[in-house]
Amino acid sequence: MQRIEKTFQLTRADMDLLAKQEYDVQAWCMLLNDKVQFRMQWPQYADLQVNGVPVRCINRPGSQLLGANGRDDGPIITLCSRDGINKILLTGCDARVFCLGVRLVKRRTVQQ
């Protein structure tokens, strides 16, 4: 069982961006040394919480590994994030090594 608990900060400028409909806060996770570079992938049996609020991070059975063409999504955590210091907690039952992060994202149109 792995457990990582970290904090991230949202500034007033970040909150101003998040007030616009096209911006969100997204959690992401990648397997280090994955054969598919930069692919988003969550640990097996992943459990994610942001400020104590459970967030669904995978849409596959916890025991199922990703295939060569598989990808996990990065959950949007805007609604459970707040101005200032935020806490993110990830647990998983996986012996592999992962990298966890949080980022501000902007939705783009197909034309963009």
Side-chain angles (χ1 to χ4, degrees):
M1 185 78 153
Q2 294 185 38
R3 174 189 166 98
I4 183 82
E5 186 173 323
K6 293 290 182 182
T7 60
F8 64 95
Q9 183 171 0
L10 294 176
T11 65
R12 172 62 23 215
D14 296 331
M15 297 308 289
D16 290 345
L17 278 179
L18 292 169
K20 300 175 184 176
Q21 196 171 14
E22 68 266 26
Y23 286 91
D24 274 308
V25 182
Q26 181 185 47
W28 58 268
C29 190
M30 284 193 270
L31 174 65
L32 293 183
N33 300 317
D34 192 345
K35 291 176 184 165
V36 181
Q37 290 188 342
F38 306 112
R39 160 172 72 170
M40 201 173 305
Q41 182 174 171
W42 294 88
Q44 289 184 278
Y45 303 101
D47 181 28
L48 181 68
Q49 289 185 24
V50 178
N51 294 322
V53 178
V55 176
R56 184 178 176 147
C57 57
I58 57 173
N59 291 317
R60 59 185 161 88
S63 60
Q64 181 182 339
L65 293 172
L66 286 180
N69 296 319
R71 300 263 188 292
D72 284 330
D73 291 327
I76 299 300
I77 59 171
T78 309
L79 295 178
C80 44
S81 301
R82 57 181 176 241
D83 189 2
I85 303 297
N86 293 266
K87 184 169 72 172
I88 188 166
L89 168 67
L90 175 64
T91 59
C93 195
D94 201 315
R96 300 171 298 167
V97 180
F98 291 82
C99 181
L100 171 68
V102 174
R103 61 186 171 196
L104 289 177
V105 294
K106 182 179 180 181
R107 280 188 221 65
R108 301 282 186 181
T109 65
V110 174
Q111 294 78 18
Q112 292 172 324

